Amino acid sequence: MREVLPPVKAIAGMCGRQTVKPECNRLSHHCLRVEVDEGELWYHTMTGSLVLLSHDEVSAGGDAHDELVARWYLVPEDYDEHKLAQQVRQTSKLLVRTKPHITSFVIFTTTDCNARCFYCYEQGRPRRTMTDEVAHDVAAYIARKCGGNDVRINWFGGEPLVNYRAIDLIVADLAALGIGVTSQMTTNGYLFTKELVQRACDTWHLNSVQVTLDGTEDTYNKTKAYVNAVGSPYKRVLDNIDLLADAGMKVNLRLNMSTHNEQDLWQLSDKLAERFSKKQKVRVYVAPLRDFTSNTSAYGANEDLLAAHSKLQGHVDELGISTQSELKSALSVNRCMADSDQSLTILPDGRLGKCEHESEERLVGSIYQDELDQEVIKAWKQTIRVPECQTCLFYPLCVRLTWCPWCAEGCTKATRDVMRQNLSRMVRNAYQS
Ligand code: SF4
Ligand code: SF4
């Protein structure tokens, strides 16, 4: 048996090594087995331990048995691992030092957009754009809440570049107040120009950009349906991706997949590999579209789409252009900004929220009041639990928030199948790197 990744120290400190007993013969519910040419990789989702077993060790056990028991891969038949994972999670939560300041913000410079994607979750919501006055007030609010610490901002929308003046004003005010900023942006990329990319580097401190692509030229241009587009938006966006990467920014290309563009995305991936494979800053991942609008196929209910997603992601991996998601190195105690006390979203009119996909409901306050609505904050932290959690491989890693729009279907077998495919991919990547 060969160790690929040791158990995470903090977790190992809490649960120690299991005492070896002859009755420890059942495979832990928290062990994922992934076949590779040399044998099998065994990943433990609670401890983070990853080991490689040879083909002989997999079939006969032999010398590896005692070490597999000590590392919690093998447990007694009636052992309650769910309870152990719950205890470890509770202890981990107590050990996480809560910081009193808010240092991570998602800022909607506008909810307006220059594209008209048929699947947009902002459809039907009012289009609001941040005024200069609110932008100055946003900077003042951040300064009051960050306790003098550096802040991380994700510029979001709508399309954040429709109102890049708000970005200019906020970063200028924060710089004047001596507050360090790093930022990222979720954008369609169309409105970038050479000058704006330079400004993004120099003054916005933008170091990472996520751009969504829906297909090759014809499909992309039809899907995005840009307002007042000049020439081919597809060509312009690809040129802008070059500009961003050449300026040193990380560019994550998200291929939005549904039944309408599934085949076309295979061609797009090949084209992206041809153009960007030598640019390490540009990486690609595939995401099935979620049914926020009832216009698209529902995620989790369409098994064919999930299978197609897995195949295409495999193809992107083979092309050597995929985003390498890292194996989580510890048991999860929170999910995202929505259940973190250090994060807030700021809407164009100064209202405050917890989730970047929620711009109208479940909000928690305003930059013009000091108190946040603690009841709503508490509700954002509630997690989905189903009977299957008791023996689920993912329990130590899983924090599914009841209000998260991505988890609207609760937890289904299809959801877990996708999680298994993703985790297997991360385990293989960790082994190969
Ligand atoms: S919510 Fe679903 S994925 Fe998460 S632990 Fe429970 S059964 Fe597993
Ligand atoms: S969509 Fe879900 S994962 Fe994303 S911020 Fe909202 S609650 Fe978190």
Side-chain angles (χ1 to χ4, degrees):
M1 189 184 97
R2 176 154 78 80
E3 179 177 79
V4 180
L5 290 175
V8 174
K9 263 195 196 156
I11 310 280
M14 282 180 244
C15 59
R17 283 166 68 82
Q18 187 182 196
T19 309
V20 178
K21 293 182 201 146
E23 63 265 34
C24 294
N25 279 319
R26 174 172 67 76
L27 186 70
S28 164
H29 299 309
H30 300 152
C31 173
L32 174 69
R33 298 168 64 170
V34 179
E35 281 184 30
V36 287
D37 291 346
E38 300 79 8
E40 266 186 26
L41 293 165
W42 284 24
Y43 178 64
H44 199 292
T45 53
M46 185 184 76
T47 67
S49 163
L50 176 61
V51 295
L52 173 70
L53 299 180
S54 65
H55 294 291
D56 285 350
E57 286 168 329
V58 172
S59 51
D63 294 346
H65 176 271
D66 289 1
E67 187 56 22
L68 290 173
V69 173
R71 287 177 183 247
W72 300 94
Y73 288 104
L74 297 173
V75 293
E77 186 57 44
D78 57 356
Y79 189 72
D80 189 348
E81 302 143 270
H82 183 71
K83 198 168 165 192
L84 176 67
Q86 273 179 322
Q87 287 164 349
V88 172
R89 178 172 277 140
Q90 281 308 330
T91 315
S92 302
K93 276 187 182 167
L94 294 175
L95 292 177
V96 173
R97 260 185 268 145
T98 23
K99 299 179 194 129
H101 304 298
I102 302 172
T103 50
S104 169
F105 298 89
V106 172
I107 301 183
F108 291 64
T109 63
T110 178
T111 49
D112 200 357
C113 187
N114 57 331
R116 294 288 181 269
C117 307
F118 65 87
Y119 53 76
C120 181
Y121 61 86
E122 291 280 5
Q123 266 181 45
R125 297 181 187 176
R127 293 175 186 268
R128 296 190 174 95
T129 291
M130 191 176 281
T131 61
D132 291 2
E133 191 188 352
V134 174
H136 289 300
D137 294 341
V138 166
Y141 180 81
I142 292 174
R144 284 204 302 282
K145 295 294 168 187
C146 73
N149 295 293
D150 290 353
V151 295
R152 176 105 188 124
I153 298 175
N154 183 8
W155 306 107
F156 204 79
E159 167 51 47
L161 291 175
V162 164
N163 182 22
Y164 63 80
R165 181 175 164 77
I167 304 179
D168 284 337
L169 294 176
I170 293 169
V171 293
D173 283 6
L174 290 174
L177 292 164
I179 293 161
V181 174
T182 51
S183 71
Q184 60 190 72
M185 184 181 287
T186 306
T187 170
N188 54 46
Y190 178 84
L191 293 171
F192 270 116
T193 59
K194 211 170 173 187
E195 294 68 35
L196 219 46
V197 169
Q198 197 57 50
R199 199 188 309 180
C201 278
D202 297 343
T203 59
W204 302 350
H205 306 290
L206 193 67
N207 55 24
S208 164
V209 176
Q210 182 188 291
V211 177
T212 298
L213 297 176
D214 306 270
T216 54
E217 187 164 7
D218 196 37
T219 309
Y220 177 86
N221 289 343
K222 276 189 189 139
T223 307
K224 282 279 179 270
Y226 283 101
V227 180
N228 301 327
V230 179
S232 166
Y234 172 83
K235 286 187 176 148
R236 177 169 169 159
V237 169
L238 289 193
D239 288 346
N240 282 342
I241 292 166
D242 268 323
L243 285 177
L244 290 162
D246 293 346
M249 278 177 237
K250 201 169 150 195
V251 187
N252 282 315
L253 302 180
R254 176 190 158 110
L255 309 192
N256 262 352
M257 178 181 191
S258 83
T259 40
H260 85 286
N261 66 347
E262 183 194 320
Q263 288 309 316
D264 190 61
L265 288 182
W266 282 76
Q267 287 177 45
L268 178 67
S269 329
D270 293 341
K271 285 179 188 291
L272 294 176
E274 229 168 79
R275 182 159 176 165
F276 298 117
S277 63
K278 292 206 173 67
K279 294 196 179 185
Q280 286 302 315
K281 292 278 180 189
V282 183
R283 297 290 96 182
V284 180
Y285 71 102
V286 188
L289 269 179
R290 310 286 171 119
D291 188 12
F292 292 132
T293 63
S294 301
N295 290 336
T296 62
S297 14
Y299 177 85
N302 186 340
E303 296 201 10
D304 291 346
L305 180 63
L306 295 178
H309 163 258
S310 176
K311 268 194 199 154
L312 179 59
Q313 183 62 60
H315 181 60
V316 172
D317 288 351
E318 279 165 18
L319 291 168
I321 51 169
S322 62
T323 314
Q324 300 284 313
S325 321
E326 283 185 17
L327 209 48
K328 287 210 172 185
S329 58
L331 183 134
S332 305
V333 291
N334 84 305
R335 169 76 176 94
C336 60
M337 59 177 308
D339 61 342
S340 158
D341 290 329
Q342 275 73 57
S343 302
L344 281 175
T345 63
I346 305 182
L347 295 161
D349 54 7
R351 287 175 302 157
L352 301 169
K354 291 299 295 175
C355 163
E356 61 191 18
H357 284 279
E358 195 49 82
S359 57
E360 286 304 314
E361 289 172 13
R362 297 166 174 172
L363 302 177
V364 297
S366 154
I367 57 170
Y368 300 106
Q369 300 157 356
D370 266 334
E371 293 306 312
L372 298 176
D373 186 332
Q374 295 303 328
E375 284 305 308
V376 184
I377 287 178
K378 201 166 139 201
W380 269 112
K381 293 181 182 177
Q382 280 173 6
T383 50
I384 294 172
R385 290 299 170 216
V386 292
E388 288 85 350
C389 297
Q390 286 290 330
T391 54
C392 178
L393 166 69
F394 302 104
Y395 180 75
L397 301 175
C398 171
V399 184
R400 291 174 74 76
L401 301 179
T402 313
W403 276 2
C404 174
W406 300 108
C407 302
E409 74 273 19
C411 181
T412 63
K413 182 179 172 304
T415 319
R416 292 190 291 277
D417 287 348
V418 173
M419 288 166 83
R420 180 177 279 272
Q421 284 159 9
N422 290 341
L423 190 60
S424 302
R425 187 177 304 117
M426 286 187 244
V427 165
R428 276 199 198 92
N429 289 341
Y431 172 60
Q432 281 154 7
S433 62

